[in-house]
Amino acid sequence: MDTAQLFQHAGQAAMLGWVILLLLPRHRYVFWLPRYAIPFGLCLLYAALWFGYGFTGDGGFDSLTSVRALFERDEVLLAGWVHYLAFDLFIGSWIAQEADALRISRLLQAPLLVATFLFGPVGLGIFLALRSGYRWRQSEVAPS
């Protein structure tokens, strides 16, 4: 399988996870897919790509120029993309689980999950701020 096919399959798997998070009930057997199964599969693909090709070319992490050189190889670029897909989906499922625990409505969760899907840290940052507000409000309401 070439890198273009791997890119397509990895993207489809991640998209399936995001659709489950956004649209399906949070039954534990269904939620297990975006929470663990799909990120784990993406982690395996990342590991195979990174350890197969990440140390074979030029580049490194000591400067932006070195990072650019590192990702010039398609297999390493794909590993970097799969890294995003795996982490963003895992964080999205964590957000969904935390939001459910705080009883944040699915309608409010949807834009947070979309923001995490599209912009990763932006969605996480918004959720962390929202979660702080919910927790603060709950501590104000709870009897002492």
Side-chain angles (χ1 to χ4, degrees), residues 5-15 38 42 45 78 81-82 85:
Q5 291 171 316
L6 289 171
F7 175 85
Q8 185 177 12
H9 292 308
Q12 289 169 341
M15 185 60 72
I38 296 172
L42 293 171
L45 176 59
L78 180 58
W81 180 246
V82 170
L85 294 175

Side-chain angles (χ1 to χ4, degrees), residues 49-135:
L49 289 165
W50 184 256
F51 291 110
Y53 301 98
F55 301 106
T56 60
D58 294 333
F61 295 105
D62 60 330
S63 69
L64 187 57
T65 302
S66 295
V67 171
R68 184 178 298 117
L70 181 67
F71 286 97
E72 284 183 358
R73 191 175 181 145
D74 280 352
E75 292 85 358
V76 178
L77 181 62
L78 180 58
W81 180 246
V82 170
H83 182 149
Y84 277 113
L85 294 175
F87 270 60
D88 286 355
L89 181 58
F90 187 78
I91 293 299
S93 64
W94 176 80
I95 288 171
Q97 187 175 31
E98 288 286 306
D100 286 348
L102 292 170
R103 299 178 189 227
I104 297 173
S105 79
R106 296 282 302 265
L107 286 176
L108 187 54
Q109 288 182 37
L112 294 169
L113 293 173
V114 170
T116 304
F117 169 65
L118 295 174
F119 309 110
V122 173
L124 175 61
I126 293 169
F127 174 70
L128 291 175
L130 183 68
R131 185 178 77 157
S132 294
Y134 266 76
R135 286 186 170 173

Side-chain angles (χ1 to χ4, degrees), residues 19-69:
V19 168
I20 290 170
L21 283 180
L22 284 165
L23 301 177
L24 294 184
R26 301 264 165 80
H27 186 275
R28 70 180 182 168
Y29 296 117
V30 175
F31 192 66
W32 178 80
L33 280 169
R35 180 76 171 137
Y36 299 110
I38 296 172
F40 182 72
L42 293 171
C43 290
L44 292 176
L45 176 59
Y46 169 82
L49 289 165
W50 184 256
F51 291 110
Y53 301 98
F55 301 106
T56 60
D58 294 333
F61 295 105
D62 60 330
S63 69
L64 187 57
T65 302
S66 295
V67 171
R68 184 178 298 117

